[in-house]
Amino acid sequence: MTILHSASQVLRCFSDERPELTLTDIVALRGAPKSSTSRLLNAMRDAGFLEVTKVGRKYRPGPLMIHLAQINKVDMSLLARADAAVRELVEETGHTGYVSALDHQDVIGLSGHEGRQVLRVATAVGRRLQASASATGRALLSRMEDRAIETLYHKGLFAPSERAPATLEDLMNRINQVRQSGYSVAFDETNHGVGAVATVVVDPMKNLALSLCIVFPAATIAEQEREHIITRMKEMTAQLARQFNDHGQPLLDTVRRKKSQSGVLSI
Amino acid sequence: MTILHSASQVLRCFSDERPELTLTDIVALRGAPKSSTSRLLNAMRDAGFLEVTKVGRKYRPGPLMIHLAQINKVDMSLLARADAAVRELVEETGHTGYVSALDHQDVIGLSGHEGRQVLRVATAVGRRLQASASATGRALLSRMEDRAIETLYHKGLFAPSERAPATLEDLMNRINQVRQSGYSVAFDETNHGVGAVATVVVDPMKNLALSLCIVFPAATIAEQEREHIITRMKEMTAQLARQFNDHGQPLLDTVRRKKSQSGVLSI
DNA sequence: AACTTTTGTTCCATTAAATGGAACTTGAGG
DNA sequence: CCTCAAGTTCCATTTAATGGAACAAAAGTT
């Protein structure tokens, strides 16, 4: 174990729920000896990775992190991150991939990358898709509360093809499958001959859900390759979820209010 | 030199102007051997501190930094940072300190910390002060363009005491002194018997200038102590400036528009 | 205030990692 | 196919990190 990995582990201990940690906290979380951890934390403080609160000897991410967070060209938005992840998947698999978000009953493509395969699905940035009849749409819906989904489809739903869910009950079954497995699939639903695998990740701070999706010709894909795509997508999505403190909470129906700081007037 | 310090140096190489760097860039910036730097950068990538762009082997701050930037309880605003810096100065010197911002011709106290000294200046969060007749006000004005200052005081200015600048010319002289020395002083200007030292730092992304100020009884302060306060304030202000990419640019008169991302639709 | 418990630091010999020069590999132009 | 620049790997050497235990400092407890 190099000290950089140790430092990395320490920094990963911090989260929204635990923005400040003591030495003993970190010892407990990492399981490393107290002495090493003590020296490590002091070294990290000296280097600017951490800073200590005057009261209670608590550590938190330090000035160096604040410096990096100010660099606005390093886009840290979920969209930029999800887009980068999809691009990586596209390069790996050669299939087309895109990132999309939900808008009422529709899914909108926000960014897309075309694959290298001769037979490939064209990307459609800005195009709308029925949420209920697509892998990416059901992935996004899976992070809403049941009540909200029912409200959204209270007038019933339209199935553009035989394989798409035709009733609210069908849809809920498919959504529950997504919730359980962590990914969403579709074959021949909105577009004939097209297969899709999608996952979803939410940024709880912005209450924003985005879906990662890889699309491919349904006929030519091998079972093994499909499995591989699913595995990689779940891996990359899990990484994004960790980065954004997404612990699987459902999306809030109403807009969350930001708490005001204590003791300091806001501008 | 520990590897943590090296890693810290590398991360400090990134800025708004240089959001991505190659191995050779970093070798040039740090002066360390190429071999060590190569290994260091790869180790940092493995640990999540950096990530590499697929094209051009460029490095930039990595997923770990993005994770930390998401922690909302770690307040990275300039106000929170300036407040923490002032608190530290107050603890060190025992004198009262505060952070303030400009509102037209006034300075408003945004956060304050009272000193430990028996004879101390009381804090006044939310209270207004004449910008022209205070150390903190002139510090803030020093980051505006001359034209903007002239516009602000085109109706002339009022001096609340003999030592305060009475004309625009007086004021400009005092402001130019601040620009040159990097700090602002006042004795017996708005409040009798009160001395003050102030510095200013701006967050270019928010186009926000904040002033750090330490106030003390003018009569009882030793020359040496005053010098020490100035030195420490300049140090801490310089650190903040580095973190926020403040390179001494004047404040924009109009609100800067944020550029939209290329290739990706914004939500 | 004296005691106990909890929490963090320092010491030490041992182990493991970082170092820098040189040789080597890779990749982009010509 | 060659060349030059950019990046990686090798190796012996130096330097830093490790973890157990003793030590010191706070925070509770009687």
Side-chain angles (χ1 to χ4, degrees):
Chain A
M1 176 76 63
T2 76
I3 199 174
L4 278 179
H5 275 90
S6 305
S8 171
Q9 284 185 350
V10 168
L11 291 172
R12 280 177 219 279
C13 291
F14 295 95
S15 67
D16 263 359
E17 291 76 40
R18 306 197 230 88
E20 294 184 342
L21 294 168
T22 65
L23 170 65
T24 16
D25 290 338
I26 294 167
V27 167
L29 284 163
R30 285 206 322 137
K34 205 169 48 150
S35 58
S36 316
T37 308
S38 173
R39 268 175 287 113
L40 172 63
L41 293 184
N42 284 319
M44 287 177 72
R45 172 178 44 72
D46 293 345
F49 289 98
L50 298 177
E51 64 185 3
V52 274
T53 60
K54 23 258 123 209
V55 292
R57 276 169 299 192
K58 283 176 186 296
Y59 292 87
R60 67 174 163 217
L64 186 52
M65 305 302 136
I66 282 117
H67 165 82
L68 293 169
Q70 302 301 328
I71 302 176
N72 59 29
K73 281 180 191 159
V74 179
D75 196 335
M76 297 183 177
S77 70
L78 179 57
L79 177 53
R81 293 270 116 198
D83 185 63
V86 165
R87 195 184 320 147
E88 213 170 313
L89 283 166
V90 166
E91 272 176 27
E92 233 177 273
T93 63
H95 296 297
T96 297
Y98 55 88
V99 179
S100 47
L102 204 60
D103 180 26
H104 300 97
Q105 294 192 3
D106 291 346
V107 164
I108 313 180
L110 299 174
S111 80
H113 299 277
E114 256 187 51
R116 287 174 277 93
Q117 311 275 9
V118 181
L119 182 59
R120 69 189 177 211
V121 182
T123 323
V125 172
R127 221 182 54 182
R128 282 166 179 271
L129 228 70
Q130 274 189 56
S132 64
S134 60
T136 196
R138 289 192 297 267
L140 291 162
L141 290 169
S142 77
R143 294 300 295 271
M144 290 172 60
E145 284 175 336
D146 285 4
R147 229 171 33 81
I149 302 172
E150 282 157 21
T151 308
L152 188 63
Y153 287 102
H154 72 282
K155 287 185 179 169
L157 52 89
F158 168 74
S161 72
E162 273 190 19
R163 310 198 60 159
T167 66
L168 182 56
E169 200 189 332
D170 283 356
L171 180 59
M172 290 309 300
N173 284 337
R174 302 285 297 261
I175 287 174
N176 281 321
Q177 227 169 302
V178 174
R179 285 174 179 156
Q180 203 201 310
S181 62
Y183 68 93
S184 178
V185 287
F187 281 92
D188 284 335
E189 289 192 20
T190 298
N191 295 300
H192 192 67
V194 173
V197 176
T199 56
V200 61
V201 60
V202 346
D203 179 347
M205 277 176 71
K206 293 184 181 162
N207 200 42
L208 168 71
L210 292 182
S211 170
L212 285 67
C213 186
I214 296 287
V215 284
F216 41 77
T220 65
I221 196 136
E223 172 69 19
Q224 197 191 346
E225 192 185 352
R226 214 194 47 159
E227 289 297 331
H228 177 250
I229 293 173
I230 292 173
T231 308
R232 291 292 292 129
M233 284 188 77
K234 285 179 75 171
E235 278 171 17
M236 304 205 72
T237 308
Q239 200 189 324
L240 281 174
R242 248 178 284 118
Q243 285 171 20
F244 283 82
N245 281 306
D246 174 12
H247 304 302
Q249 321 87 323
L251 280 167
L252 296 178
D253 226 347
T254 53
V255 179
R256 178 164 31 181
R257 288 283 219 80
K258 215 178 177 180
K259 281 161 266 165
S260 67
Q261 294 166 240
S262 62
V264 178
L265 291 181
S266 73
I267 296 175
Chain B
M1 176 75 65
T2 75
I3 199 173
L4 278 179
H5 276 90
S6 307
S8 171
Q9 284 185 349
V10 168
L11 290 172
R12 280 178 221 279
C13 292
F14 294 96
S15 67
D16 262 0
E17 291 74 42
R18 304 198 234 88
E20 293 184 343
L21 295 168
T22 66
L23 170 65
T24 15
D25 290 338
I26 295 168
V27 167
L29 285 163
R30 286 206 320 137
K34 204 169 50 148
S35 59
S36 315
T37 308
S38 173
R39 267 175 290 112
L40 173 63
L41 293 183
N42 283 318
M44 287 177 72
R45 171 178 46 72
D46 292 345
F49 289 98
L50 299 176
E51 63 184 3
V52 275
T53 60
K54 24 257 120 210
V55 291
R57 275 167 298 193
K58 282 176 185 296
Y59 291 88
R60 66 175 164 216
L64 186 52
M65 308 300 136
I66 283 117
H67 166 82
L68 292 168
Q70 302 301 328
I71 302 176
N72 60 28
K73 282 182 189 158
V74 179
D75 197 335
M76 296 181 177
S77 70
L78 180 57
L79 177 54
R81 292 270 116 200
D83 184 63
V86 165
R87 196 184 319 147
E88 213 169 312
L89 283 167
V90 166
E91 273 177 26
E92 233 176 272
T93 63
H95 296 296
T96 297
Y98 55 88
V99 178
S100 46
L102 204 60
D103 180 25
H104 300 98
Q105 294 192 3
D106 292 346
V107 163
I108 313 179
L110 298 174
S111 81
H113 299 276
E114 256 186 51
R116 287 175 275 94
Q117 312 275 8
V118 180
L119 182 59
R120 69 189 178 213
V121 182
T123 324
V125 172
R127 222 181 54 183
R128 282 167 180 271
L129 228 71
Q130 272 190 55
S132 65
S134 59
T136 195
R138 289 191 297 267
L140 291 163
L141 289 169
S142 76
R143 294 301 295 271
M144 289 172 59
E145 284 175 334
D146 285 6
R147 228 170 34 79
I149 301 173
E150 281 156 20
T151 308
L152 190 62
Y153 286 103
H154 72 281
K155 287 184 178 171
L157 50 90
F158 167 73
S161 72
E162 274 188 16
R163 311 199 58 161
T167 66
L168 182 56
E169 201 189 334
D170 283 356
L171 180 59
M172 289 310 299
N173 284 338
R174 302 284 297 264
I175 287 174
N176 281 322
Q177 228 170 299
V178 174
R179 285 174 178 155
Q180 203 201 310
S181 63
Y183 68 93
S184 178
V185 286
F187 280 93
D188 285 335
E189 288 191 22
T190 298
N191 294 300
H192 192 65
V194 172
V197 177
T199 56
V200 61
V201 60
V202 347
D203 178 348
M205 276 176 71
K206 293 185 182 164
N207 199 41
L208 168 71
L210 292 183
S211 170
L212 284 66
C213 185
I214 296 286
V215 285
F216 40 76
T220 65
I221 196 135
E223 173 67 20
Q224 198 191 347
E225 192 186 352
R226 214 195 47 159
E227 289 297 334
H228 178 249
I229 292 173
I230 292 172
T231 309
R232 291 292 291 128
M233 282 188 76
K234 285 179 75 171
E235 279 172 16
M236 304 204 73
T237 308
Q239 200 190 324
L240 281 176
R242 247 178 285 119
Q243 285 170 20
F244 283 83
N245 282 305
D246 173 12
H247 304 301
Q249 322 87 323
L251 280 167
L252 297 177
D253 228 348
T254 51
V255 178
R256 176 163 33 178
R257 289 285 218 78
K258 215 177 176 181
K259 281 160 267 164
S260 66
Q261 294 165 242
S262 63
V264 177
L265 291 181
S266 72
I267 295 179

